[in-house]
Amino acid sequence: MPSLNVKEFMEECISSVMNQSLKNIEIICVDAGSTDGTLEIINKCAQKDSRIKVFHSDKKSYGYQMNLGISKAQGDYIGIVETDDFIDEKMYETLYDLTDNGSVDIAKVNFFHFYDESSKRIDSSKKNLPEKPFTIYDNADILNGHPSIWAAIYKKSFLMENNITFMEAPGGGWVDNPFLFETFLSANTITYKDEPYYYYRELNPSSSTNDMKDLTLPMTRMMDNLDVIEQYSCHDEDILAALYVRIFWHIHDLVKKDSFKSQETEVLEGFYNVLSRVDEDIIKKRFKLKDQKAYYKYVSPIGILDFDDNDSVELSKNDYENILKENEFLYERINALENQNSELNKKNKTLKKENKKLEDKISEFKSRKVIKLVDKFKS
């Protein structure tokens, strides 16, 4: 349980862990120098519950806090509870039941997007996953949506044997992303239950997602994800596509942010660096036009050049080929859309003719009915 100035949520969070139906757990709190009373709440709870162990981090780094906590853990499995969230009392009992007495590397459940007591929704990003153990190569859909690394437990020996640790970036740092890919790519057995037990609080204004000042951060983490993919020599198309979905989601989100213009040059460079490493064939084959346009727009070297109208720009052969690909793609799409439009116009004309025939038949039917009624009335 890594904490830093979350007094508003700390008591509810730690109480939800202390009240777990699975009693044989240790509760490791790693505080990074809270000054708002968070640490006092932790210490007060520790006096009541001997399972709570308190450690102090000299770095304000989520990854460093996590690594410190894991190194101190004595249990067979590691769970994570972020201290502005809270959990259902049966979460860890349910997760441990999914391990089949400790034979599974990762056990995972669903979660709630929690706004307030009257507003919460179940995450719907992971569908049709099997109840029996599987690997990421069997079911890449487990990568869909939020990393939600906290709605899971990880066998400690599995983490140690594969030398899996968190990146120790400053602050929150979005280090859940590379951890997600490294754990799933390493795991021989994953189990999943599509029932929510974790309450992920969406409205904490100081969270790393809501308080993102550095807009280059998402693409930096996507580069780390690509590094993990390469480290594991992963060429599975479903896994790569799942990562690319995440990349495009962040790209579309970043350009809509109010602070985008003030960091545009750096953010566009991040887009270019990431998209230069993705598989173009997968983008063309599996992604919607919106994402394909973004790919060719941001992978083009022109997109990150800053020059005046009178400046000349010398392009490398690789840059020139990228521009040709972009133009070729755009012309292909224009032709395809024009052809589609032509076909739709033909269908529209046909439908109009058929509609006119139907209208004529309806009019004829109505007139016959009126005549019959008039004849009946006369008789």
Side-chain angles (χ1 to χ4, degrees), residues 337-371:
L337 289 170
E338 285 178 345
N339 291 335
Q340 185 181 358
N341 187 52
S342 177
E343 290 296 320
L344 288 172
N345 282 334
K346 289 178 183 177
K347 288 181 180 180
N348 190 40
K349 287 179 180 178
T350 303
L351 289 170
K352 281 183 177 179
K353 288 180 181 178
E354 291 178 357
N355 188 50
K356 182 68 169 60
K357 289 178 181 179
L358 288 171
E359 286 178 348
D360 291 343
K361 285 184 178 180
I362 290 170
S363 296
E364 183 182 352
F365 176 79
K366 285 181 177 178
S367 63
R368 286 179 181 177
K369 193 172 181 182
V370 168
I371 290 169

mmCIF file of all heavy atoms in Angstrom, residues 337-371:
data_model
loop_
_atom_site.group_PDB
_atom_site.id
_atom_site.type_symbol
_atom_site.label_atom_id
_atom_site.label_comp_id
_atom_site.label_asym_id
_atom_site.label_seq_id
_atom_site.Cartn_x
_atom_site.Cartn_y
_atom_site.Cartn_z
ATOM 1 N N LEU A 337 -13.170 5.668 -50.665
ATOM 2 C CA LEU A 337 -14.357 6.384 -50.201
ATOM 3 C C LEU A 337 -15.201 6.888 -51.374
ATOM 4 O O LEU A 337 -16.429 6.880 -51.314
ATOM 5 C CB LEU A 337 -13.937 7.558 -49.304
ATOM 6 C CG LEU A 337 -13.374 7.161 -47.930
ATOM 7 C CD1 LEU A 337 -12.781 8.384 -47.240
ATOM 8 C CD2 LEU A 337 -14.451 6.534 -47.061
ATOM 9 N N GLU A 338 -14.523 7.327 -52.457
ATOM 10 C CA GLU A 338 -15.263 7.772 -53.637
ATOM 11 C C GLU A 338 -16.029 6.619 -54.266
ATOM 12 O O GLU A 338 -17.181 6.765 -54.674
ATOM 13 C CB GLU A 338 -14.298 8.393 -54.655
ATOM 14 C CG GLU A 338 -13.817 9.786 -54.253
ATOM 15 C CD GLU A 338 -12.825 10.374 -55.243
ATOM 16 O OE1 GLU A 338 -12.303 9.600 -56.072
ATOM 17 O OE2 GLU A 338 -12.586 11.588 -55.180
ATOM 18 N N ASN A 339 -15.369 5.457 -54.336
ATOM 19 C CA ASN A 339 -16.042 4.270 -54.873
ATOM 20 C C ASN A 339 -17.225 3.872 -53.995
ATOM 21 O O ASN A 339 -18.293 3.510 -54.476
ATOM 22 C CB ASN A 339 -15.060 3.102 -54.982
ATOM 23 C CG ASN A 339 -14.020 3.331 -56.060
ATOM 24 O OD1 ASN A 339 -14.262 4.078 -57.019
ATOM 25 N ND2 ASN A 339 -12.856 2.705 -55.925
ATOM 26 N N GLN A 340 -16.989 3.938 -52.676
ATOM 27 C CA GLN A 340 -18.060 3.604 -51.739
ATOM 28 C C GLN A 340 -19.229 4.576 -51.882
ATOM 29 O O GLN A 340 -20.401 4.186 -51.866
ATOM 30 C CB GLN A 340 -17.508 3.641 -50.306
ATOM 31 C CG GLN A 340 -18.501 3.192 -49.246
ATOM 32 C CD GLN A 340 -17.900 3.267 -47.841
ATOM 33 O OE1 GLN A 340 -16.748 3.613 -47.673
ATOM 34 N NE2 GLN A 340 -18.685 2.929 -46.858
ATOM 35 N N ASN A 341 -18.890 5.857 -52.066
ATOM 36 C CA ASN A 341 -19.922 6.873 -52.226
ATOM 37 C C ASN A 341 -20.725 6.644 -53.507
ATOM 38 O O ASN A 341 -21.956 6.791 -53.530
ATOM 39 C CB ASN A 341 -19.273 8.259 -52.254
ATOM 40 C CG ASN A 341 -20.288 9.380 -52.244
ATOM 41 O OD1 ASN A 341 -21.172 9.417 -51.394
ATOM 42 N ND2 ASN A 341 -20.167 10.301 -53.192
ATOM 43 N N SER A 342 -20.018 6.252 -54.568
ATOM 44 C CA SER A 342 -20.683 5.976 -55.831
ATOM 45 C C SER A 342 -21.655 4.808 -55.693
ATOM 46 O O SER A 342 -22.798 4.866 -56.188
ATOM 47 C CB SER A 342 -19.636 5.672 -56.906
ATOM 48 O OG SER A 342 -20.253 5.340 -58.118
ATOM 49 N N GLU A 343 -21.218 3.759 -55.009
ATOM 50 C CA GLU A 343 -22.076 2.599 -54.792
ATOM 51 C C GLU A 343 -23.300 2.969 -53.958
ATOM 52 O O GLU A 343 -24.418 2.524 -54.228
ATOM 53 C CB GLU A 343 -21.283 1.487 -54.092
ATOM 54 C CG GLU A 343 -20.219 0.829 -54.956
ATOM 55 C CD GLU A 343 -20.823 0.104 -56.148
ATOM 56 O OE1 GLU A 343 -21.874 -0.536 -55.969
ATOM 57 O OE2 GLU A 343 -20.263 0.218 -57.247
ATOM 58 N N LEU A 344 -23.075 3.803 -52.944
ATOM 59 C CA LEU A 344 -24.188 4.220 -52.091
ATOM 60 C C LEU A 344 -25.189 5.076 -52.865
ATOM 61 O O LEU A 344 -26.398 4.985 -52.663
ATOM 62 C CB LEU A 344 -23.656 4.990 -50.874
ATOM 63 C CG LEU A 344 -22.925 4.150 -49.821
ATOM 64 C CD1 LEU A 344 -22.287 5.059 -48.773
ATOM 65 C CD2 LEU A 344 -23.886 3.175 -49.142
ATOM 66 N N ASN A 345 -24.665 5.915 -53.782
ATOM 67 C CA ASN A 345 -25.562 6.730 -54.607
ATOM 68 C C ASN A 345 -26.432 5.855 -55.501
ATOM 69 O O ASN A 345 -27.624 6.120 -55.690
ATOM 70 C CB ASN A 345 -24.746 7.703 -55.467
ATOM 71 C CG ASN A 345 -24.253 8.898 -54.666
ATOM 72 O OD1 ASN A 345 -24.864 9.266 -53.661
ATOM 73 N ND2 ASN A 345 -23.149 9.499 -55.095
ATOM 74 N N LYS A 346 -25.813 4.790 -56.068
ATOM 75 C CA LYS A 346 -26.571 3.861 -56.909
ATOM 76 C C LYS A 346 -27.658 3.169 -56.093
ATOM 77 O O LYS A 346 -28.810 3.056 -56.526
ATOM 78 C CB LYS A 346 -25.637 2.813 -57.516
ATOM 79 C CG LYS A 346 -24.712 3.353 -58.588
ATOM 80 C CD LYS A 346 -23.785 2.252 -59.102
ATOM 81 C CE LYS A 346 -22.806 2.797 -60.137
ATOM 82 N NZ LYS A 346 -21.866 1.739 -60.588
ATOM 83 N N LYS A 347 -27.268 2.711 -54.894
ATOM 84 C CA LYS A 347 -28.251 2.050 -54.024
ATOM 85 C C LYS A 347 -29.364 3.014 -53.633
ATOM 86 O O LYS A 347 -30.535 2.640 -53.555
ATOM 87 C CB LYS A 347 -27.559 1.513 -52.764
ATOM 88 C CG LYS A 347 -26.679 0.294 -53.011
ATOM 89 C CD LYS A 347 -26.062 -0.192 -51.715
ATOM 90 C CE LYS A 347 -25.187 -1.414 -51.957
ATOM 91 N NZ LYS A 347 -24.559 -1.908 -50.704
ATOM 92 N N ASN A 348 -28.988 4.277 -53.416
ATOM 93 C CA ASN A 348 -29.968 5.278 -53.022
ATOM 94 C C ASN A 348 -31.003 5.503 -54.129
ATOM 95 O O ASN A 348 -32.203 5.613 -53.870
ATOM 96 C CB ASN A 348 -29.253 6.591 -52.696
ATOM 97 C CG ASN A 348 -30.176 7.608 -52.054
ATOM 98 O OD1 ASN A 348 -31.010 7.268 -51.220
ATOM 99 N ND2 ASN A 348 -30.019 8.876 -52.446
ATOM 100 N N LYS A 349 -30.518 5.547 -55.387
ATOM 101 C CA LYS A 349 -31.430 5.720 -56.515
ATOM 102 C C LYS A 349 -32.391 4.544 -56.620
ATOM 103 O O LYS A 349 -33.590 4.706 -56.846
ATOM 104 C CB LYS A 349 -30.634 5.872 -57.809
ATOM 105 C CG LYS A 349 -29.932 7.206 -57.957
ATOM 106 C CD LYS A 349 -29.154 7.273 -59.257
ATOM 107 C CE LYS A 349 -28.436 8.625 -59.396
ATOM 108 N NZ LYS A 349 -27.639 8.688 -60.647
ATOM 109 N N THR A 350 -31.819 3.328 -56.452
ATOM 110 C CA THR A 350 -32.645 2.122 -56.509
ATOM 111 C C THR A 350 -33.704 2.127 -55.413
ATOM 112 O O THR A 350 -34.876 1.804 -55.646
ATOM 113 C CB THR A 350 -31.757 0.866 -56.369
ATOM 114 O OG1 THR A 350 -30.778 0.865 -57.382
ATOM 115 C CG2 THR A 350 -32.590 -0.401 -56.463
ATOM 116 N N LEU A 351 -33.265 2.517 -54.199
ATOM 117 C CA LEU A 351 -34.200 2.563 -53.064
ATOM 118 C C LEU A 351 -35.293 3.608 -53.285
ATOM 119 O O LEU A 351 -36.446 3.397 -52.909
ATOM 120 C CB LEU A 351 -33.438 2.856 -51.762
ATOM 121 C CG LEU A 351 -32.560 1.712 -51.240
ATOM 122 C CD1 LEU A 351 -31.691 2.208 -50.095
ATOM 123 C CD2 LEU A 351 -33.419 0.548 -50.766
ATOM 124 N N LYS A 352 -34.925 4.730 -53.901
ATOM 125 C CA LYS A 352 -35.928 5.762 -54.177
ATOM 126 C C LYS A 352 -36.989 5.239 -55.147
ATOM 127 O O LYS A 352 -38.183 5.499 -54.988
ATOM 128 C CB LYS A 352 -35.252 7.002 -54.768
ATOM 129 C CG LYS A 352 -34.568 7.875 -53.728
ATOM 130 C CD LYS A 352 -33.966 9.126 -54.368
ATOM 131 C CE LYS A 352 -33.344 10.021 -53.303
ATOM 132 N NZ LYS A 352 -32.742 11.238 -53.909
ATOM 133 N N LYS A 353 -36.536 4.489 -56.174
ATOM 134 C CA LYS A 353 -37.475 3.907 -57.127
ATOM 135 C C LYS A 353 -38.396 2.910 -56.441
ATOM 136 O O LYS A 353 -39.610 2.908 -56.657
ATOM 137 C CB LYS A 353 -36.707 3.219 -58.251
ATOM 138 C CG LYS A 353 -36.017 4.176 -59.208
ATOM 139 C CD LYS A 353 -35.269 3.409 -60.289
ATOM 140 C CE LYS A 353 -34.557 4.377 -61.238
ATOM 141 N NZ LYS A 353 -33.789 3.622 -62.274
ATOM 142 N N GLU A 354 -37.794 2.057 -55.597
ATOM 143 C CA GLU A 354 -38.600 1.068 -54.886
ATOM 144 C C GLU A 354 -39.577 1.744 -53.928
ATOM 145 O O GLU A 354 -40.722 1.318 -53.764
ATOM 146 C CB GLU A 354 -37.677 0.115 -54.114
ATOM 147 C CG GLU A 354 -36.859 -0.804 -55.018
ATOM 148 C CD GLU A 354 -35.920 -1.703 -54.239
ATOM 149 O OE1 GLU A 354 -35.870 -1.565 -52.993
ATOM 150 O OE2 GLU A 354 -35.241 -2.531 -54.864
ATOM 151 N N ASN A 355 -39.114 2.819 -53.291
ATOM 152 C CA ASN A 355 -39.969 3.565 -52.372
ATOM 153 C C ASN A 355 -41.148 4.195 -53.111
ATOM 154 O O ASN A 355 -42.284 4.201 -52.625
ATOM 155 C CB ASN A 355 -39.142 4.653 -51.679
ATOM 156 C CG ASN A 355 -39.915 5.339 -50.568
ATOM 157 O OD1 ASN A 355 -40.493 4.677 -49.713
ATOM 158 N ND2 ASN A 355 -39.916 6.664 -50.588
ATOM 159 N N LYS A 356 -40.883 4.705 -54.335
ATOM 160 C CA LYS A 356 -41.958 5.301 -55.141
ATOM 161 C C LYS A 356 -43.003 4.248 -55.510
ATOM 162 O O LYS A 356 -44.222 4.511 -55.436
ATOM 163 C CB LYS A 356 -41.343 5.899 -56.405
ATOM 164 C CG LYS A 356 -42.349 6.603 -57.322
ATOM 165 C CD LYS A 356 -42.890 7.862 -56.670
ATOM 166 C CE LYS A 356 -43.678 8.712 -57.647
ATOM 167 N NZ LYS A 356 -44.833 8.041 -58.231
ATOM 168 N N LYS A 357 -42.539 3.056 -55.849
ATOM 169 C CA LYS A 357 -43.468 1.974 -56.188
ATOM 170 C C LYS A 357 -44.350 1.613 -54.984
ATOM 171 O O LYS A 357 -45.542 1.399 -55.108
ATOM 172 C CB LYS A 357 -42.695 0.744 -56.655
ATOM 173 C CG LYS A 357 -42.046 0.903 -58.019
ATOM 174 C CD LYS A 357 -41.263 -0.364 -58.376
ATOM 175 C CE LYS A 357 -40.587 -0.203 -59.735
ATOM 176 N NZ LYS A 357 -39.796 -1.418 -60.072
ATOM 177 N N LEU A 358 -43.701 1.553 -53.804
ATOM 178 C CA LEU A 358 -44.448 1.238 -52.588
ATOM 179 C C LEU A 358 -45.477 2.317 -52.270
ATOM 180 O O LEU A 358 -46.609 2.034 -51.869
ATOM 181 C CB LEU A 358 -43.487 1.068 -51.401
ATOM 182 C CG LEU A 358 -42.632 -0.203 -51.403
ATOM 183 C CD1 LEU A 358 -41.580 -0.124 -50.311
ATOM 184 C CD2 LEU A 358 -43.514 -1.429 -51.187
ATOM 185 N N GLU A 359 -45.081 3.569 -52.445
ATOM 186 C CA GLU A 359 -46.008 4.670 -52.191
ATOM 187 C C GLU A 359 -47.207 4.604 -53.143
ATOM 188 O O GLU A 359 -48.350 4.862 -52.752
ATOM 189 C CB GLU A 359 -45.281 6.006 -52.350
ATOM 190 C CG GLU A 359 -44.343 6.323 -51.183
ATOM 191 C CD GLU A 359 -43.601 7.632 -51.390
ATOM 192 O OE1 GLU A 359 -43.629 8.165 -52.521
ATOM 193 O OE2 GLU A 359 -42.975 8.102 -50.417
ATOM 194 N N ASP A 360 -46.920 4.271 -54.403
ATOM 195 C CA ASP A 360 -48.007 4.136 -55.387
ATOM 196 C C ASP A 360 -48.970 3.018 -54.997
ATOM 197 O O ASP A 360 -50.196 3.156 -55.104
ATOM 198 C CB ASP A 360 -47.431 3.877 -56.780
ATOM 199 C CG ASP A 360 -46.704 5.087 -57.335
ATOM 200 O OD1 ASP A 360 -46.923 6.195 -56.804
ATOM 201 O OD2 ASP A 360 -45.902 4.927 -58.282
ATOM 202 N N LYS A 361 -48.392 1.892 -54.535
ATOM 203 C CA LYS A 361 -49.222 0.747 -54.127
ATOM 204 C C LYS A 361 -50.087 1.106 -52.920
ATOM 205 O O LYS A 361 -51.257 0.736 -52.830
ATOM 206 C CB LYS A 361 -48.338 -0.452 -53.800
ATOM 207 C CG LYS A 361 -47.776 -1.142 -55.031
ATOM 208 C CD LYS A 361 -46.992 -2.377 -54.628
ATOM 209 C CE LYS A 361 -46.461 -3.098 -55.871
ATOM 210 N NZ LYS A 361 -45.684 -4.306 -55.521
ATOM 211 N N ILE A 362 -49.474 1.846 -51.976
ATOM 212 C CA ILE A 362 -50.217 2.265 -50.779
ATOM 213 C C ILE A 362 -51.376 3.185 -51.178
ATOM 214 O O ILE A 362 -52.504 3.045 -50.692
ATOM 215 C CB ILE A 362 -49.275 2.977 -49.779
ATOM 216 C CG1 ILE A 362 -48.303 1.961 -49.159
ATOM 217 C CG2 ILE A 362 -50.077 3.661 -48.671
ATOM 218 C CD1 ILE A 362 -47.183 2.597 -48.361
ATOM 219 N N SER A 363 -51.087 4.118 -52.076
ATOM 220 C CA SER A 363 -52.139 5.039 -52.541
ATOM 221 C C SER A 363 -53.265 4.282 -53.231
ATOM 222 O O SER A 363 -54.459 4.561 -53.012
ATOM 223 C CB SER A 363 -51.539 6.064 -53.508
ATOM 224 O OG SER A 363 -50.600 6.864 -52.846
ATOM 225 N N GLU A 364 -52.862 3.325 -54.073
ATOM 226 C CA GLU A 364 -53.855 2.517 -54.776
ATOM 227 C C GLU A 364 -54.707 1.720 -53.799
ATOM 228 O O GLU A 364 -55.941 1.661 -53.914
ATOM 229 C CB GLU A 364 -53.153 1.568 -55.747
ATOM 230 C CG GLU A 364 -54.113 0.734 -56.585
ATOM 231 C CD GLU A 364 -53.361 -0.220 -57.489
ATOM 232 O OE1 GLU A 364 -52.110 -0.112 -57.567
ATOM 233 O OE2 GLU A 364 -54.002 -1.072 -58.098
ATOM 234 N N PHE A 365 -54.041 1.139 -52.781
ATOM 235 C CA PHE A 365 -54.745 0.345 -51.781
ATOM 236 C C PHE A 365 -55.739 1.199 -50.998
ATOM 237 O O PHE A 365 -56.883 0.818 -50.769
ATOM 238 C CB PHE A 365 -53.733 -0.303 -50.836
ATOM 239 C CG PHE A 365 -54.365 -1.061 -49.703
ATOM 240 C CD1 PHE A 365 -54.881 -2.330 -49.905
ATOM 241 C CD2 PHE A 365 -54.461 -0.499 -48.430
ATOM 242 C CE1 PHE A 365 -55.465 -3.022 -48.873
ATOM 243 C CE2 PHE A 365 -55.041 -1.185 -47.396
ATOM 244 C CZ PHE A 365 -55.552 -2.465 -47.616
ATOM 245 N N LYS A 366 -55.279 2.398 -50.620
ATOM 246 C CA LYS A 366 -56.139 3.302 -49.859
ATOM 247 C C LYS A 366 -57.362 3.701 -50.683
ATOM 248 O O LYS A 366 -58.490 3.767 -50.175
ATOM 249 C CB LYS A 366 -55.368 4.555 -49.440
ATOM 250 C CG LYS A 366 -54.403 4.325 -48.289
ATOM 251 C CD LYS A 366 -53.693 5.619 -47.923
ATOM 252 C CE LYS A 366 -52.792 5.418 -46.722
ATOM 253 N NZ LYS A 366 -52.051 6.656 -46.378
ATOM 254 N N SER A 367 -57.148 4.011 -51.938
ATOM 255 C CA SER A 367 -58.270 4.431 -52.790
ATOM 256 C C SER A 367 -59.269 3.308 -52.977
ATOM 257 O O SER A 367 -60.478 3.533 -52.965
ATOM 258 C CB SER A 367 -57.748 4.916 -54.151
ATOM 259 O OG SER A 367 -57.112 3.853 -54.833
ATOM 260 N N ARG A 368 -58.789 2.094 -53.123
ATOM 261 C CA ARG A 368 -59.691 0.947 -53.248
ATOM 262 C C ARG A 368 -60.518 0.761 -51.987
ATOM 263 O O ARG A 368 -61.708 0.469 -52.030
ATOM 264 C CB ARG A 368 -58.891 -0.322 -53.534
ATOM 265 C CG ARG A 368 -58.357 -0.404 -54.956
ATOM 266 C CD ARG A 368 -57.561 -1.675 -55.133
ATOM 267 N NE ARG A 368 -57.016 -1.760 -56.481
ATOM 268 C CZ ARG A 368 -56.221 -2.750 -56.883
ATOM 269 N NH1 ARG A 368 -55.880 -3.704 -56.024
ATOM 270 N NH2 ARG A 368 -55.769 -2.775 -58.120
ATOM 271 N N LYS A 369 -59.832 0.940 -50.837
ATOM 272 C CA LYS A 369 -60.520 0.754 -49.560
ATOM 273 C C LYS A 369 -61.626 1.792 -49.403
ATOM 274 O O LYS A 369 -62.719 1.511 -48.930
ATOM 275 C CB LYS A 369 -59.505 0.865 -48.415
ATOM 276 C CG LYS A 369 -60.054 0.385 -47.075
ATOM 277 C CD LYS A 369 -58.940 0.342 -46.058
ATOM 278 C CE LYS A 369 -59.459 -0.166 -44.730
ATOM 279 N NZ LYS A 369 -58.415 -0.173 -43.686
ATOM 280 N N VAL A 370 -61.340 3.038 -49.810
ATOM 281 C CA VAL A 370 -62.327 4.117 -49.710
ATOM 282 C C VAL A 370 -63.525 3.819 -50.599
ATOM 283 O O VAL A 370 -64.685 3.977 -50.213
ATOM 284 C CB VAL A 370 -61.680 5.466 -50.094
ATOM 285 C CG1 VAL A 370 -62.762 6.541 -50.276
ATOM 286 C CG2 VAL A 370 -60.689 5.893 -49.031
ATOM 287 N N ILE A 371 -63.256 3.362 -51.829
ATOM 288 C CA ILE A 371 -64.340 3.032 -52.763
ATOM 289 C C ILE A 371 -65.236 1.946 -52.199
ATOM 290 O O ILE A 371 -66.468 2.026 -52.242
ATOM 291 C CB ILE A 371 -63.754 2.590 -54.120
ATOM 292 C CG1 ILE A 371 -63.123 3.788 -54.824
ATOM 293 C CG2 ILE A 371 -64.840 1.974 -55.019
ATOM 294 C CD1 ILE A 371 -62.298 3.437 -56.033
#
